[in-house]
Amino acid sequence: MTFEPLSLLYRFKTGQINGDLLIYHVLLTLKPYYAKPYEIVVDLTHAGPSNRFKTDFLSKWFVVFPGFAYENVAAIYIYNCNTWVREYTKYHERLLTGLKGSKKLLFIDSPPRLTEHVEPDQQKLPAATLALEEDLKVFHNALKLAHKDTKVSIKVGSNAVQVTSAERTRVLGQSVFLNDIYYASEIEEICLVDENQFTLTIANQGTPLTFMHQECEAIVHSIIHIRTRWELSQPDSIPQHTKIRPKDVPGTLLNIALLNLGSSDPSLRSAAYNLLCALTCTFNLKIEGQLLETSGLCIPANNTLFIVSISKTLAANEPHLTLEFLEECISGFSKSSIELKHLCLEYMTPWLLNLVRFCKHNDDAKRQRVTAILDKLITMTINEKQMYPSIQAKIWGSLGQITDLLDVVLDSFIKTSATGGLGSIKAEVMADTAVALASGNVKLVSSKVIIRMCKIIDKTCLSPTATLEQHLMWDDIAILARYMLMLSFNNSLDVAAHLPYLFHVVTLLVATGPLSLRASTHGLVINIIHSLCTCSQLNFSEETKQVLRLSLTEFSLPKFYLLFGISKVKSAAVIAFRSSYRDRSFSPGSYERETFALSSLETVTEALLEIMEACMRDIPGCRWLEQWTELAQKFAFQYNPSLQPRALVVFGCISKRVSHGQIKQILRILSKASQLLSIDRGLESCLKGPDSYNSQTLIEATVIALTKLQPLLNKDSPMHKALFWVAVAVLQLDEVNLYSAGTALLEQNLHTLDSMHVFNEQSPEDVFMEIRRPLEWHCKQMDHFVGLNFTSNFNFALVGHLLKGYRHPSATTVARTVRILHTLLGLVGKHRECDRFEVNTESVAYLAALLTVSEEVRSRCRLKHRKSLLLPDITMETIPMDTYSVQNSDPSCRTLRENQPWTSPNVSDRYLTAHYATVGQISPRTRKSMSLDMGQPSQANTKKLLGTRKSFDHLMPDTKAPKRAEMEVGITTPPKMRRVAENDYEMEPQRISQHQQLRKLSMSESNVLLDEGVLTDPKIQALLLTVLATQVKNTTDEFDQRILYEFLAEASVVFPKVFPVVHNLLDSKINTLLSMCQDPNLLNPVHGIVQSVVYHEESPPQYQPSYLQSLGFNGLWRFAGPFSKQTQIPDYAELIVKFLDALIDSYLPGIEEEASEETLRTPTSPYPPAVQSQLSIAANLNLSNSMTSLATSQHAPG
């Protein structure tokens, strides 16, 4: 039997080899074997797209191959079939039909199996294929994750990774093990995702391969090892021997002599000494008679001190030899032994000080040679792993002491880092080397690094992008952030001089970039606080040290991991220093960008501010906060979508004073951001487009800034009251994030005005409607757009805006909404000097809104015609009335303690019995009128009863809203809120009349929410019922439903003429309950509603649902519902722009803004003189030669 191996696919390259010649070559090779049986071995190792036969070429094989040649083929052995081959055979299934299921076709998956059929000496497999089976590390039971997960074994050899399937798959009708092979040269990225998962990116493959295994770390290290070894085996360039010029001779010979003086060979040491003597004589080197050439001199092996002393003398006396000498030292360094390398570093060091002479030289060629020497030193640092500590200490520690050379060195560092890319070996080594550079001059190196970071961030304003990661200078920013992390340990960033700039950079970079960079930013903060604790320059009190220690603990909590965007990691330090070959956690395109909430930045900034203020108390005349505020203000008032929102939030949080000009500027920014929303009316682009996202973020940032800055305004500023309408306008945008910011502004606004005693003499309605008069034209259009009319009824319009907060997905916003309603409930009664729970035309709106969330409101505002099933018999003497908080009720208060039937004295016994019948037992009159069968009304009577049914499916309640326990417990403590300065607003003594105190001390049984004697206006009755019905429609909580249905049942009796206004809101809910609910306590009030409606259906003319439209409240039920996905932000944004412009013209006329429009778009230097922080630097600072230089040519946006 004859064997013929074919490695066709391995060697065949599409487009490089003529297909017809290949067929001809194969036919000639097989021709001698046609007449007798023969077997073929086909090696498919690493077959892929570059080896494929095109369809026409493949079909030609079957045409030209002679028929008798097929007959004598005994077997075809296919070795190392892979996934690509399987897909290829599927694609050409029609052409390969003849081979499918053939017994002559045998798939071989290992050399031992091939040996069973073919003798080893006749296999003749390529050496590259056989090498794959050598030095294997095998990892079984791995899982390859894809659309269909498969079990595999991972084999890491000396030059390739093999992924072998553990389960057979079908190829040409046979069960085959697939073996995919990836050579080290094809591996682009390896990323250790977590302890049990890693990804592998292969060249020319679109998506990374993802694997799971218990020993992921070992697998990753093995793959990195073979990849690194392959890299080192590749020559950087073709070796070229530089020609020695005459002027290079002294430096070259000097290095030869000094290096060989340290040789272990005595004869070589003597020869080297004599060479040194001849060299000094020939070139007249000033060595001051220390050398004398002689024969037979015995030089000991340990003569390092002698060599170094000679080198120091020559470096001082012959500095012109520096460039040639250092070039020769670096050139021969890699070829020397370890001992001689250490010696070389010793005698090289004195010459480094001379490099600064050539940097100041007028000759550009010499300056370029200095840069080239630095680049060679950097390359030596990266490549010489064994000598790494010594090179750091000797070379870079010495260079760090040369002040005038630092800019050039940092340029070389950043250029090298940018060439490798963020997370590369080059970038990480350079960041590590920066620590050695700083060891000789901490103040200067830290200043240079920080000022470069600030300057580069400044220049992003010249060509702004939606996100910082998209900017051309992002790589430089990220690389410098890594430098700052490395330098931050042991106070190498000189925190005493640079704390404002460090906090400024942190707030701009927090939760930005890939995972490792986010962890680096977190680590930077930890190290800064640690440096403050250990810094010898600063003497802090024990109280301040305690604050710093607590801050260290706080920043390590999971809460702050979440704020920094690293919530899924176990240890930030591990992630920040995780090293691998181009770790994917550093790669900008390989991570899922997390949306950063500005509220998170607010929390981080306040934590940093607390640290700074604590430290400043112990430092007289400290200007840290002033400097930080200047930096934040500069970015807050210049156009930069990626950084301006952050700067606005920071500026608002840390400012200690504010002018009307700054408020005007922020309102202008809010107007422009709103205008951007109105430009694109397309719904999808509005919601999902990056421009709209940035616009909404900018709006949110301005609102947060206004929230923080309002308490700093002068007491007599009209903006205090005007900002109320700004908050309302933001709420009307109907956007989740903006709503949360709007409620915060509203809460701060009410708190500030209350602290100024604005509401002691006037109601909130009078106060705010008065300030709105100049803006009435624009405000009316906004009211009409949302369907809530403040002119018609201020309090119900405001409640309509706040009810939406109950549907917010954030528990914090829901709690804030409840606090605002409690605050308003207290404010509307201040000028009346009445009990805050007294029902009147102003308070009833807030009482109705608080029914489901406040036990105190439910206790004080009872039902008139029956006792609530949901309240226990309690007296109000035990409940304090002088607080706005929600009382924590006993759980027993929420249970149904009695099955008291619902009765009404106003309904004739002819139609209503004294008590409700039990469920399913309805009076004949009711049954006849409603045609009820198990609670189901007939179609005709249902329409007549509750009007034409509408579908409100799109108003389904938000299941993400907090449950009752979250709403009633723990919401009494509001977040940190700026207090008004005591010296600005003096507190007036509380004037509470004796009559008011008596009201607070006793519970009045006459205080009924649905009191027809108090609420005589049909308009208020209709709005009250709509508020209750709207809450019913949007809640799924049974407890809330019981409360609301009880009050609605009473309302159907007390206000029968107005009750039809809410029929459309209740019909679907009531029908659902009647058909599906089994709870008698819930059904009792529902039946009461139905019976009351039936009883009054033939009464005189009643108010219809259209009545709300006549009041201007046709949008109350709609706006108070869940947040709409079909938002109309662009249309409404046009109205906000006009409103804000009118507000500025009315209340901030002629006030100069802090900077001109041109200044807002052009970076200016906010940095103080060198005396303050040593951050001064030449205006013509040379940035790195990476992407930074490209951005400087961009123009500012028009």
Side-chain angles (χ1 to χ4, degrees):
M1 189 76 67
T2 305
F3 301 94
E4 185 63 27
L6 292 178
S7 299
L8 296 176
L9 289 182
Y10 183 78
R11 298 178 181 178
F12 175 74
K13 300 294 181 184
T14 305
Q16 296 181 12
I17 298 177
N18 184 284
D20 293 333
L21 290 178
L22 176 64
I23 293 177
Y24 180 68
H25 169 73
V26 172
L27 291 174
L28 287 180
T29 303
L30 294 178
K31 187 175 181 179
Y33 311 109
Y34 286 162
K36 52 185 178 181
Y38 64 96
E39 296 179 342
I40 300 176
V41 179
V42 181
D43 182 14
L44 294 181
T45 299
H46 202 254
S50 60
N51 316 117
R52 75 186 188 282
F53 293 151
K54 295 182 179 179
T55 304
D56 55 344
F57 184 46
L58 182 63
S59 60
K60 189 180 291 186
W61 278 92
F62 295 102
V63 174
V64 302
F65 214 68
F68 57 85
Y70 287 111
E71 297 174 0
N72 287 329
V73 174
I76 299 177
Y77 303 105
I78 299 180
Y79 184 70
N80 266 347
C81 180
N82 58 29
T83 302
W84 179 85
V85 173
R86 180 188 63 183
E87 300 302 322
Y88 182 82
T89 57
K90 283 184 179 179
Y91 183 79
H92 296 96
E93 188 174 8
R94 184 177 56 83
L95 291 175
L96 301 174
T97 303
L99 297 177
K100 195 170 183 180
S102 173
K103 295 182 179 180
K104 294 183 178 181
L105 204 62
L106 298 176
F107 287 89
I108 307 297
D109 51 54
S110 63
R113 282 208 57 201
L114 183 61
T115 305
E116 294 176 6
H117 303 279
V118 182
E119 293 297 329
D121 59 335
Q122 296 190 28
Q123 292 176 4
K124 299 182 181 179
L125 289 174
T129 301
L130 296 174
L132 293 173
E133 302 300 321
E134 299 174 358
D135 301 327
L136 286 179
K137 293 182 180 179
V138 183
F139 301 89
H140 296 291
N141 299 321
L143 193 63
K144 181 180 179 182
L145 305 181
H147 63 278
K148 182 181 179 182
D149 299 344
T150 53
K151 293 182 180 179
V152 296
S153 295
I154 300 174
K155 306 174 184 176
V156 184
S158 57
N159 63 346
V161 179
Q162 301 180 55
V163 180
T164 307
S165 62
E167 301 172 352
R168 294 180 181 270
T169 187
R170 305 292 291 182
V171 179
L172 293 177
Q174 300 193 37
S175 296
V176 179
F177 289 111
L178 302 180
N179 188 30
D180 295 320
I181 296 170
Y182 308 106
Y183 286 101
S185 58
E186 299 175 307
I187 299 173
E188 290 187 342
E189 292 180 348
I190 309 121
C191 173
L192 185 62
V193 178
D194 54 38
E195 296 176 353
N196 298 317
Q197 185 174 336
F198 72 96
T199 60
L200 194 64
T201 302
I202 306 299
N204 300 322
Q205 289 198 13
T207 57
L209 305 174
T210 304
F211 299 93
M212 292 185 68
H213 195 272
Q214 294 180 347
E215 300 180 57
C216 279
E217 191 170 349
I219 298 174
V220 168
H221 283 303
S222 299
I223 298 174
I224 291 173
H225 174 71
I226 66 169
R227 169 70 196 194
T228 305
R229 188 168 66 175
W230 175 83
E231 278 186 328
L232 295 176
S233 68
Q234 304 303 305
D236 294 332
S237 60
I238 300 174
Q240 294 181 349
H241 299 284
T242 55
K243 296 179 180 179
I244 299 179
R245 296 166 297 180
K247 63 178 182 179
D248 295 339
V249 171
T252 302
L253 294 179
L254 178 60
N255 178 61
I256 293 173
L258 293 178
L259 186 66
N260 286 288
L261 268 172
S263 171
S264 58
D265 186 346
S267 301
L268 187 56
R269 290 198 297 272
S270 298
Y273 180 84
N274 290 331
L275 173 62
L276 183 61
C277 294
L279 187 64
T280 55
C281 293
T282 305
F283 293 100
N284 195 26
L285 302 181
K286 299 174 183 177
I287 200 66
E288 299 174 355
Q290 294 184 33
L291 302 176
L292 178 63
E293 184 176 356
T294 183
S295 59
L297 194 64
C298 296
I299 303 174
N302 184 17
N303 60 352
T304 303
L305 296 178
F306 168 75
I307 298 171
V308 172
S309 67
I310 293 294
S311 180
K312 283 182 178 179
T313 302
L314 291 174
N317 298 336
E318 307 291 343
H320 63 280
L321 299 177
T322 300
L323 298 181
E324 293 79 13
F325 177 71
L326 288 177
E327 285 175 344
E328 184 61 29
C329 289
I330 297 169
S331 175
F333 191 86
S334 61
K335 303 180 183 68
S336 304
S337 64
I338 293 293
E339 293 80 6
L340 292 181
K341 285 179 180 179
H342 282 286
L343 176 63
C344 185
L345 289 178
E346 292 289 342
Y347 68 69
M348 272 178 66
T349 303
W351 296 83
L352 296 175
L353 298 174
N354 295 335
L355 287 176
V356 71
R357 292 174 46 126
F358 302 96
C359 287
K360 297 179 179 179
H361 207 281
N362 293 328
D363 188 354
D364 287 339
K366 290 194 173 181
R367 288 202 298 269
Q368 290 177 2
R369 286 185 70 184
V370 172
T371 303
I373 288 174
L374 291 174
D375 290 342
K376 289 178 180 179
L377 287 172
I378 289 171
T379 303
M380 185 174 79
T381 306
I382 295 171
N383 294 337
E384 295 290 340
K385 294 184 178 180
Q386 286 184 312
M387 297 297 298
Y388 186 76
S390 299
I391 294 174
Q392 294 283 351
K394 293 293 182 182
I395 302 297
W396 301 113
S398 300
L399 288 173
Q401 299 175 18
I402 307 174
T403 302
D404 295 331
L405 198 61
L406 274 181
D407 277 333
V408 181
V409 174
L410 285 175
D411 273 334
S412 297
F413 275 27
I414 295 173
K415 181 181 68 175
T416 302
S417 300
T419 303
L422 179 64
S424 64
I425 295 176
K426 289 182 178 179
E428 291 303 292
V429 170
M430 289 298 93
D432 201 30
T433 306
V435 179
L437 200 66
S439 63
N441 194 334
V442 170
K443 287 185 177 294
L444 189 60
V445 173
S446 60
S447 296
K448 296 286 186 183
V449 171
I450 293 171
I451 193 64
R452 278 172 177 267
M453 172 66 94
C454 292
K455 290 286 186 182
I456 291 175
I457 293 177
D458 277 358
K459 288 187 178 293
T460 61
C461 301
L462 296 175
S463 53
T465 52
T467 63
L468 199 59
E469 296 96 319
Q470 297 172 353
H471 204 279
L472 289 172
M473 288 185 282
W474 166 246
D475 278 350
D476 287 359
I477 293 172
I479 286 166
L480 281 171
R482 295 291 294 174
Y483 282 31
M484 291 174 66
L485 172 65
M486 301 295 186
L487 290 170
S488 61
F489 176 67
N490 197 30
N491 197 30
S492 293
L493 281 178
D494 192 14
V495 292
H498 306 129
L499 191 65
Y501 306 94
L502 294 173
F503 280 2
H504 172 63
V505 171
V506 166
T507 54
L508 296 184
L509 296 185
V510 59
T512 302
L515 183 62
S516 291
L517 191 61
R518 280 178 265 146
S520 300
T521 306
H522 180 270
L524 175 62
V525 174
I526 294 290
N527 286 2
I528 290 171
I529 302 173
H530 183 268
S531 295
L532 286 171
C533 293
T534 58
C535 177
S536 58
Q537 301 168 259
L538 303 171
N539 295 317
F540 293 130
S541 64
E542 189 58 36
E543 182 182 355
T544 301
K545 291 179 180 178
Q546 182 66 16
V547 171
L548 293 175
R549 286 192 288 268
L550 289 174
S551 298
L552 277 175
T553 304
E554 185 181 23
F555 273 92
S556 299
L557 295 175
K559 170 190 173 182
F560 274 86
Y561 271 33
L562 178 64
L563 298 179
F564 279 78
I566 52 174
S567 59
K568 298 180 180 178
V569 306
K570 294 181 179 178
S571 169
V574 172
I575 298 298
F577 290 104
R578 184 167 62 190
S579 62
S580 66
Y581 173 72
R582 288 196 66 185
D583 188 344
R584 281 179 61 86
S585 60
F586 278 109
S587 179
S590 61
Y591 65 91
E592 182 180 353
R593 184 174 181 269
E594 295 183 6
T595 302
F596 179 62
L598 290 178
S599 57
S600 299
L601 178 61
E602 190 179 346
T603 306
V604 172
T605 304
E606 288 175 348
L608 297 178
L609 178 62
E610 183 182 3
I611 293 170
M612 180 176 284
E613 289 180 332
C615 296
M616 289 175 64
R617 285 194 290 268
D618 296 335
I619 307 175
C622 183
R623 294 185 61 249
W624 282 350
L625 186 55
E626 185 180 340
Q627 292 170 347
W628 188 13
T629 305
E630 288 175 3
L631 291 166
Q633 180 179 347
K634 174 180 177 293
F635 278 85
F637 295 149
Q638 66 182 9
Y639 176 74
N640 192 341
S642 59
L643 297 180
Q644 188 178 15
R646 288 171 175 253
L648 279 166
V649 173
V650 175
F651 176 67
C653 290
I654 68 176
S655 293
K656 296 302 180 184
R657 64 182 67 87
V658 68
S659 66
H660 277 108
Q662 291 170 330
I663 294 293
K664 182 176 182 179
Q665 217 167 337
I666 293 174
L667 289 174
R668 289 288 188 200
I669 295 170
L670 177 58
S671 176
K672 290 178 181 178
S674 302
Q675 192 172 7
L676 289 175
L677 284 180
S678 65
I679 291 175
D680 188 356
R681 295 177 179 273
L683 180 62
E684 292 299 321
S685 58
C686 175
L687 287 178
K688 300 179 182 177
D691 291 339
S692 175
Y693 170 78
N694 285 322
S695 300
Q696 291 186 22
T697 304
L698 187 55
I699 291 174
E700 184 183 1
T702 57
V703 175
I704 293 175
L706 290 172
T707 304
K708 297 294 183 181
L709 294 174
Q710 184 192 348
L712 305 178
L713 282 169
N714 294 330
K715 179 180 179 180
D716 56 353
S717 171
M719 289 308 300
H720 283 296
K721 300 173 184 178
L723 285 177
F724 171 84
W725 295 108
V726 175
V728 170
V730 174
L731 296 182
Q732 291 174 348
L733 281 169
D734 193 12
E735 203 282 327
V736 174
N737 290 334
L738 299 184
Y739 189 91
S740 182
T743 54
L745 175 57
L746 181 59
E747 184 179 28
Q748 180 68 70
N749 180 264
L750 295 173
H751 171 78
T752 303
L753 291 173
D754 186 33
S755 65
M756 295 160 54
H757 315 296
V758 171
F759 303 111
N760 286 8
E761 304 297 334
Q762 286 182 294
S763 68
E765 179 177 3
D766 294 336
V767 170
F768 294 125
M769 293 305 290
E770 180 183 357
I771 202 74
R772 165 174 149 143
R773 284 175 186 170
L775 314 171
E776 190 65 26
W777 170 256
H778 303 284
C779 290
K780 276 187 176 180
Q781 295 183 61
M782 295 160 64
D783 290 354
H784 177 73
F785 190 90
V786 295
L788 293 166
N789 193 332
F790 279 93
T791 305
S792 176
N793 190 295
F794 173 87
N795 297 297
F796 275 103
L798 186 53
V799 164
H801 287 79
L802 293 173
L803 283 179
K804 194 176 199 68
Y806 288 167
R807 312 274 79 79
H808 200 280
S810 168
T812 303
T813 304
V814 176
R816 186 186 298 127
T817 302
V818 177
R819 285 200 307 270
I820 293 172
L821 287 168
H822 272 284
T823 300
L824 287 165
L825 180 60
L827 295 180
V828 294
K830 270 199 169 184
H831 71 289
R832 293 172 175 263
E833 295 187 353
C834 65
D835 180 35
R836 53 195 293 262
F837 292 99
E838 179 179 298
V839 177
N840 54 58
T841 55
E842 290 182 330
S843 66
V844 67
Y846 308 108
L847 291 170
L850 288 168
L851 272 177
T852 60
V853 296
S854 172
E855 187 73 39
E856 193 173 5
V857 171
R858 294 194 294 271
S859 302
R860 297 296 304 273
C861 302
R862 294 182 174 271
L863 297 169
K864 182 175 183 179
H865 298 297
R866 77 182 190 113
K867 187 177 179 181
S868 172
L869 299 178
L870 299 174
L871 294 174
D873 293 326
I874 58 175
T875 59
M876 294 309 296
E877 281 80 8
T878 59
I879 301 178
M881 295 294 111
D882 56 350
T883 176
Y884 288 12
S885 65
V886 182
Q887 297 298 325
N888 295 336
S889 60
D890 185 78
S892 63
C893 297
R894 302 182 183 178
T895 59
L896 292 175
R897 305 186 66 171
E898 55 179 334
N899 265 342
Q900 179 177 349
W902 194 92
T903 62
S904 172
N906 296 337
V907 181
S908 171
D909 291 340
R910 176 183 174 187
Y911 298 102
L912 295 175
T913 60
H915 300 282
Y916 265 148
T918 57
V919 180
Q921 298 177 355
I922 303 177
S923 64
R925 162 72 177 174
T926 307
R927 187 180 300 277
K928 181 178 179 181
S929 300
M930 301 182 61
S931 303
L932 286 174
D933 182 12
M934 295 301 290
Q936 287 281 7
S938 68
Q939 183 176 0
N941 284 305
T942 300
K943 182 174 181 180
K944 181 178 180 181
L945 170 66
L946 296 179
T948 305
R949 171 177 293 190
K950 293 184 179 180
S951 173
F952 300 102
D953 293 340
H954 64 288
L955 293 177
M956 289 300 290
D958 192 340
T959 56
K960 293 183 180 179
K963 300 301 181 185
R964 171 160 310 283
E966 299 172 11
M967 295 172 67
E968 290 200 31
V969 179
I971 64 172
T972 60
T973 305
K976 287 183 180 179
M977 198 173 298
R978 286 200 169 178
R979 303 291 178 184
V980 180
E982 292 182 5
N983 56 349
D984 291 338
Y985 313 130
E986 295 180 0
M987 299 298 293
E988 298 180 2
Q990 296 295 328
R991 295 179 293 121
I992 303 175
S993 65
Q994 185 177 2
H995 176 66
Q996 180 184 2
Q997 293 181 12
L998 290 174
R999 285 183 175 182
K1000 288 189 174 184
L1001 294 175
S1002 62
M1003 183 180 74
S1004 175
E1005 291 294 339
S1006 63
N1007 194 49
V1008 177
L1009 183 66
L1010 305 172
D1011 192 340
E1012 64 269 32
V1014 176
L1015 309 178
T1016 58
D1017 187 352
K1019 177 173 67 174
I1020 294 180
Q1021 296 173 8
L1023 293 175
L1024 174 58
L1025 294 182
T1026 306
V1027 167
L1028 295 174
T1030 299
Q1031 293 183 75
V1032 166
K1033 184 166 190 63
N1034 293 297
T1035 184
T1036 55
D1037 187 89
E1038 288 190 7
F1039 182 77
D1040 292 354
Q1041 290 184 47
R1042 291 174 185 173
I1043 297 169
L1044 295 168
Y1045 276 121
E1046 279 190 346
F1047 281 90
L1048 282 169
E1050 176 153 321
S1052 66
V1053 176
V1054 179
F1055 307 130
K1057 292 183 179 181
V1058 179
F1059 198 79
V1061 171
V1062 297
H1063 282 180
N1064 288 350
L1065 295 177
L1066 297 176
D1067 62 352
S1068 60
K1069 271 277 189 179
I1070 286 180
N1071 282 316
T1072 302
L1073 285 173
L1074 291 175
S1075 61
M1076 301 180 65
C1077 182
Q1078 302 296 323
D1079 184 359
N1081 300 306
L1082 185 55
L1083 285 174
N1084 279 342
V1086 171
H1087 284 154
I1089 294 173
V1090 174
Q1091 291 177 348
S1092 180
V1093 168
V1094 171
Y1095 172 71
H1096 291 101
E1097 63 183 348
E1098 297 177 359
S1099 298
Q1102 301 172 325
Y1103 292 92
Q1104 298 301 321
S1106 59
Y1107 180 56
L1108 287 176
Q1109 188 169 356
S1110 67
L1111 300 177
F1113 279 86
N1114 57 303
L1116 175 55
W1117 63 269
R1118 185 188 308 108
F1119 187 83
F1123 288 86
S1124 174
K1125 296 181 180 179
Q1126 303 295 323
T1127 182
Q1128 293 178 295
I1129 286 179
D1131 299 318
Y1132 179 74
E1134 292 181 359
L1135 301 179
I1136 285 191
V1137 173
K1138 296 175 182 177
F1139 160 74
L1140 291 172
D1141 292 343
L1143 185 148
I1144 292 171
D1145 294 339
S1146 299
Y1147 294 110
L1148 297 171
I1151 293 177
E1152 293 295 329
E1153 298 182 18
E1154 295 297 316
S1156 64
E1157 184 68 20
E1158 183 65 26
T1159 308
L1160 296 186
R1161 294 177 179 271
T1162 306
T1164 57
S1165 177
Y1167 309 117
V1171 179
Q1172 292 294 332
S1173 65
Q1174 299 185 3
L1175 278 177
S1176 61
I1177 192 167
N1180 58 350
L1181 171 69
N1182 293 322
L1183 298 174
S1184 74
N1185 295 326
S1186 60
M1187 291 296 188
T1188 303
S1189 58
L1190 299 178
T1192 57
S1193 63
Q1194 304 293 326
H1195 298 288

